[in-house]
């Protein structure tokens, strides 16, 4: 939105203040918050549940103030107009009778290509002989519609999808309506004035009327920004447009591209940060060439990501050829960003002195994950090292805290070892690489795990060597297996394989996981402090008739698909323990295999606390038509069928199961996490790195849909099913937490709960991973250089302050003289549940309860001219954001942010 708002301002000199959003399938209060913080004043929305529209209309509450659930001071309030009827086309916007309203869609007359009115009463040209009859008929619809709202100002949209494509069409609408308006306006007895206008005209007129006439109701809490309207909080999921047709299918449709979207967003954010640091440390024009030469591709990446946010893009509800176009655009931008980052690491580490022609020559490094094409899973680049040689591996940390975690790269042989940037030998582990293939689960390559420590927003170097006398070889994992397969597991060299005993377990310093021996699915989690949680993992499938890209319409409950018989492999090592299962299913080809991992990454690290679940999913054949694949976690957490899921990764929403609506209406979006909590405070959380859908239709259950394949169109405009499924990996990070102090019962508390500190950090780590790059060539150990880490922060950020973005908003204008600061820093203050303690914070000692000093933030960089600005960077009048008192403090470099807030600061960065 920032990119689009700036483009509007740069191109047309317009700063938008009204949001028109008629086609998303449900609405999130996060968008209301972001729009308000961008300086927007008004919103218009359309697709909300038909019963909700009836209820709001009954009480004349279709225009209201949308307030955030945590806001006690009205600072997030924004005025909303909700359209009252089924659809936004002309038959459903002039009034309650579509058969009449359609008669006033003058593009449905002969000479145009649009279909005639389905009610068999078509428009007729307005002429002096019929103008009175036609005008009174139309005005009657206007009056009936106006009874649903409080004021005398009425909005009647006039349009539809793919309209006004010719001048003749626009003239036909204008000509006829102008005659109707002239008649109404020339007859005072009708007591009405009708005219053409813009959305801004409507809201300006509405606000003027609300200033003159107080429409407030007794005992109604309104808003300080405009009187006469109720204030409401919450979201509008799940949307239904009629009967039991709930639009919960799109939460999961085309999950492959939902995952690509998240990877592009993460990579773009890291690239923006790297570009900013390159320019901030640049002392000569020569070193500006690389980042500024990339400006066009960076802008294209921003816009390709923005394009996919379309309500038929990331939702998975576009036609196949449109999805392909989205995919190609995102793939191209991902490749461009990775190439730039590989060169940026060279510059930041000083590998080439003076940035010598970095903008013109290939990088010496390449991205570790490689995507061969837009619809292929990423694969890991294989590191090959001969004896006596080393390959450099570089990690860029895009987060504001130092990261200590176990990482993985692929090597072509097991006898390797690892050194840090000081050429000190570090512990490492090798285990065989696995794949989703029943007859042969080993690829012949090896996974190399080792622990890294990467400074905040910095770069660290490690070396993989082909056997060095100065360092012990990577320790081989011990392998244990169980199989009913006719082809027994062939133990790969040089590993030692043994048959598994009666218990299947893996553990680390925090928890022990127990699995079912017949399926390899999770059964129980035992925590180091003694408490135990039953977690019965199940995999099942819904059959559906009527489901499509938008709708989820199951024909019954999900059926289990796992059957006795499986291949289970345990890898045990000092840094990572894993159980892999290729289960037998009632389908000819198993659509799923899965791994569960625990890490030993050091006391206090985030990674130590999480359980990593990875599902390889392949719904790629006709036997999966009209099937929807789910995973269930049946726990002993008594949540009374209430769970919490996030909205845009920003806030949580309470989801209570309602028996009066079908299962599909009790499914909710899960963009990044969901959790259930019992009255005793026990909490089971699942973080995801791609948007999915979730439900809790039984006590203690959290169900998540993984993929869906639909052969039918659901008659919502797409005109096809969803059959272009791709093999993909779905990754969850699971947390089990027990609160350390009393908390209100989630069953009775109507307000949404918030994540713990650990949960916040676990989600951020999952969605903003380390970016790994590998040297294209090996070098001789005898000719090794020592590369110092790049560590730009002078003072660590507080633990609960997240850097949303550090970027150059207008890179194409960076070198042009301007009095405006050229960088922007966007910060978010996390709001966390303190009753769950402060786990995962050993390396992080301060909170943002005190102001942050921007001037002391970076090493070797002068920060100057800080300004508080709106989130679209187009407003600097802080009065409209309710924190005018901060202007002076920010100018002095002091930043204070309240929990849940996101704030943007313009500033300049220059080398000291």
């Amino acid at each position: 939105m920032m990119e689009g708002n700036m483009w509007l301002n740069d191109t047309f000199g317009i700063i938008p203040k009204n949001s028109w959003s008629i086609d998303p399938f449900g609405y999130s209060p996060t968008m209301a918050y972001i729009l308000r913080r961008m300086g927007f004043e008004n919103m218009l929305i359309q697709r909300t549940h038909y019963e909700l529209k009836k209820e709001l209309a009954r009480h004349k509450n279709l225009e209201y103030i949308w307030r955030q659930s945590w806001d006690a001071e009205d600072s997030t309030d924004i005025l909303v107009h909700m359209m009252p009827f089924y659809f936004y086309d002309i038959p459903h916007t002039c009034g309650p009778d579509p058969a009449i309203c359609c008669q006033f869609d003058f593009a449905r007359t002969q000479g145009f290509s649009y279909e005639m009115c389905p009610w068999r009463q078509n428009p007729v040209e307005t002429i002096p002989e019929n103008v009175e009859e036609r005008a009174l008929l139309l005005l009657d619809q206007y009056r009936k519609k106006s009874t649903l709202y409080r004021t005398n100002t009425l909005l009647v949209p006039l349009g539809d999808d793919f309209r006004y494509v010719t001048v003749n069409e626009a003239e036909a609408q204008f000509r006829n309506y102008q005659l109707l308006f002239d008649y109404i306006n020339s007859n005072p007895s009708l007591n009405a004035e009708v005219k053409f206008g813009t959305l801004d005209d409507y809201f300006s007129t509405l606000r003027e009327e609300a200033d003159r006439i107080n429409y407030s109701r007794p005992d109604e809490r309104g808003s300080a920004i405009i009187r006469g309207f109720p204030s409401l909080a919450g979201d509008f999921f799940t949307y239904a447009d009629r009967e039991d047709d709930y639009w919960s299918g799109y939460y999961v449709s085309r999950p492959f591209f939902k995952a690509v979207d998240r990877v592009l967003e993460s990579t773009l954010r890291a690239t923006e940060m790297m570009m900013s640091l390159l320019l901030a440390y640049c002392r000569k024009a020569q070193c500006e060439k690389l980042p500024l030469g990339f400006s066009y591709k960076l802008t294209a990446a921003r816009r390709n990501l923005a394009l996919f946010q379309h309500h038929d893009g990331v939702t998975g509800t576009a036609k196949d050829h449109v999805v392909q176009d989205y995919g190609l655009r995102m793939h191209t931008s991902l490749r461009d960003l990775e190439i730039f980052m590989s060169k940026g690491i060279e510059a930041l580490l000083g590998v080439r002195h003076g940035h010598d022609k970095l903008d013109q020559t290939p990088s010496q490094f390449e991205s570790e994950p490689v995507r061969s094409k837009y619809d292929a899973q990423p694969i890991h680049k294989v590191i090959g090292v001969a004896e006596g040689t080393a390959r450099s591996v570089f990690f860029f940390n895009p987060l504001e805290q130092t990261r200590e975690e176990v990482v993985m790269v692929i090597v072509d042989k097991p006898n390797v070892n690892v050194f840090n940037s000081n050429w000190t030998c570090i512990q490492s582990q090798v285990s065989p690489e696995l794949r989703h293939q029943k007859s042969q689960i080993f690829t012949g390559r090896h996974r190399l795990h080792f622990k890294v420590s990467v400074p905040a927003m910095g770069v660290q170097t490690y070396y993989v060597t082909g056997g060095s006398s100065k360092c012990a070889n990577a320790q081989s994992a011990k392998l244990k297996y169980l199989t009913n397969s006719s082809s027994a597991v062939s133990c790969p060299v040089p590993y030692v394989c043994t048959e598994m005993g009666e218990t299947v377990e893996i553990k680390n310093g925090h928890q022990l996981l127990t699995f079912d021996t017949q399926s390899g699915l999770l059964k129980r989690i035992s925590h180091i402090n003694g408490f135990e949680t039953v977690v019965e993992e199940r995999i099942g499938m819904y059959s559906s008739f009527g489901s499509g890209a938008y709708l989820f319409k199951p024909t019954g409950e999900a059926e289990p698909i796992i059957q006795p018989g499986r291949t289970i492999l345990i890898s045990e090592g000092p840094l990572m323990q894993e159980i892999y299962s290729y289960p037998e299913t009632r389908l000819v080809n198993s659509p799923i295999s899965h791994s569960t991992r625990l890490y030993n990454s050091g006391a206090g690290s985030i990674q130590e606390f999480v359980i990593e679940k990875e599902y390889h999913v392949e719904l790629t054949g006709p036997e999966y038509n009209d099937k929807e694949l789910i995973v269930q976690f049946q726990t002993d957490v008594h949540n009374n069928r209430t769970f919490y899921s996030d909205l845009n990764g920003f806030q949580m929403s309470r989801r209570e199961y309602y028996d009066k609506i079908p299962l599909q209406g009790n499914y909710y979006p899960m963009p990044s996490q969901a959790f259930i909590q019992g009255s005793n405070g026990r909490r089971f959380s699942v973080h995801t790195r791609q948007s999915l859908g979730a439900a809790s239709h039984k006590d203690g259950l959290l169900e998540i849909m993984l993929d869906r394949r639909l052969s039918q169109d659901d008659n919502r405009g797409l005109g096809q099913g969803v059959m272009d499924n791709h093999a993909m990996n779905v990754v969850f990070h699971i947390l089990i937490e027990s609160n350390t102090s009393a908390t209100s019962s989630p069953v009775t508390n109507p307000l949404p709960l918030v994540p713990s500190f650990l949960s916040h950090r676990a989600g951020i780590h999952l969605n903003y991973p380390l970016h790994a790059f590998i040297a294209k060539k090996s070098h001789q150990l005898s000719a090794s250089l020592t590369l110092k880490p790049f560590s730009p922060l002078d003072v660590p950020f507080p633990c609960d302050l997240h850097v949303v973005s550090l970027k150059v908003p207008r890179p194409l204008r960076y070198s042009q003289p301007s009095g405006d600061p050229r960088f922007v820093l966007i910060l978010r203050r996390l709001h966390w549940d303190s009753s769950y303690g402060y786990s995962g914070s050993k390396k992080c000692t301060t909170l943002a309860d005190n102001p942050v000093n921007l001037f002391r933030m970076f090493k070797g960089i002068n920060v100057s001219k800080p300004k508080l600005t709106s989130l679209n960077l187009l407003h600097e009048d802080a009065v409209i954001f309710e924190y005018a008192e901060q202007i002076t403090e920010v100018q002095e470099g002091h930043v204070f942010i309240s929990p849940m807030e996101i704030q943007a600061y313009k500033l300049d960065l220059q080398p000291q």
Side-chain angles (χ1 to χ4, degrees), residues 479-703:
L479 305 183
K480 300 177 182 178
Y481 68 89
L482 275 175
T483 183
N484 288 3
S485 174
S486 56
S487 56
V489 173
S490 177
C491 190
V493 177
Y495 302 97
V496 176
C497 300
T498 58
E499 285 200 40
M500 215 171 290
E502 294 183 359
T503 58
V504 180
E505 297 176 341
I506 58 174
K507 64 181 178 178
N508 67 2
H510 287 279
Q511 49 210 338
L512 181 147
L513 310 184
T514 305
F515 299 83
D516 179 72
T517 56
Q518 291 301 312
S519 63
L521 294 169
L522 188 60
K523 283 180 59 178
R524 187 171 57 254
I525 300 172
S526 304
H527 201 269
I528 191 173
N529 65 10
F531 74 80
E532 230 178 51
T533 303
V534 173
V535 182
E536 292 188 12
E537 182 185 9
R538 305 165 183 163
I539 294 171
M541 269 187 174
Y542 286 103
S543 297
S544 60
F545 183 81
S547 285
Y550 302 94
L551 304 184
F552 172 38
K553 299 189 74 173
T555 55
E557 293 188 1
E559 295 290 333
I561 64 169
I562 304 300
Q563 294 182 335
R566 71 293 184 229
T567 296
I568 299 175
L569 181 77
I570 291 182
S571 300
E572 293 180 344
L575 298 176
M576 186 276 294
Q577 295 200 3
E578 173 189 50
I579 175 168
Y580 166 86
S581 175
Y582 187 104
E584 289 288 334
T585 68
R586 58 184 175 83
L587 298 124
V588 175
N589 297 301
S590 176
I592 191 167
S593 59
H594 54 94
S595 296
T596 309
R597 303 184 189 98
L598 292 176
Y599 294 93
N600 290 300
S601 47
S605 71
I606 302 293
Q607 195 181 35
E608 281 249 327
F609 291 91
V610 303
I611 301 164
E612 184 171 277
K613 287 291 308 186
E614 182 170 11
Y615 301 94
H616 182 87
V617 177
E618 291 191 14
L619 294 188
T620 53
E623 64 180 316
Y624 310 119
N625 286 359
D626 301 308
K627 304 292 184 184
E628 287 149 309
L629 182 68
I630 57 103
V631 60
Q632 295 178 336
F633 298 101
Q634 181 63 61
T635 75
D636 58 357
V637 174
H638 298 298
N639 70 320
N640 199 31
R641 300 189 301 174
T642 296
F643 78 107
Y644 300 81
S645 64
D646 73 293
L647 295 163
N648 311 85
F650 176 65
Q651 59 181 303
M652 303 302 293
S653 187
R654 186 176 186 270
R655 311 300 190 186
E656 182 178 346
Y657 192 90
Y658 292 102
D659 290 311
K660 63 184 177 181
I661 61 177
L663 171 66
Q664 58 264 33
N666 286 288
Y667 246 82
Y668 293 96
M670 180 189 172
S672 65
Q673 71 163 304
F675 65 79
I676 58 175
Q677 181 177 322
S679 57
N680 63 354
R682 185 74 53 83
R683 184 179 286 187
F684 176 82
S685 305
V686 179
H687 292 266
T688 172
R689 66 179 187 186
Q690 69 206 74
S691 296
L692 298 169
S696 180
H697 50 86
K698 294 179 182 177
D699 186 41
L701 177 73
L702 184 61
E703 176 177 301

Side-chain angles (χ1 to χ4, degrees), residues 23-25 47 247-255 257-258 308-323 326 548-551 708 710 713-714 716-722 724:
D23 215 10
F25 327 128
R47 290 192 185 273
W247 295 45
S248 49
Y250 82 88
Y251 301 156
V252 189
S253 295
R254 290 178 168 125
F257 291 104
K258 285 176 165 65
F308 194 59
Q309 306 316 303
H310 184 274
H311 61 260
D312 281 319
V314 68
T315 53
T317 54
K319 290 184 180 293
D320 289 348
H321 70 277
V322 179
V323 173
Y326 282 135
Y550 302 94
L551 304 184
R708 53 204 310 264
L710 299 318
D713 177 44
D714 51 14
R716 292 306 188 275
L718 180 57
Q720 64 162 78
V722 178
D724 55 348

Side-chain angles (χ1 to χ4, degrees), residues 180-226:
L180 296 166
F181 292 173
D182 289 345
Y183 178 84
I184 294 170
N185 295 338
S186 64
N187 284 273
S189 62
L190 297 178
N191 197 28
E193 179 187 1
V194 194
K195 61 183 179 181
F196 291 107
T198 64
L199 189 61
D200 188 58
D201 292 332
Y202 170 72
F203 279 118
S204 296
T205 306
L206 180 74
R207 284 173 173 267
E208 289 169 6
E209 182 182 346
D211 284 342
R212 294 194 318 270
I213 305 171
N214 187 1
Y215 291 100
S216 298
R217 304 265 177 85
D219 302 322
E220 178 178 81
R221 185 182 177 191
S223 171
I225 68 165
I226 180 173

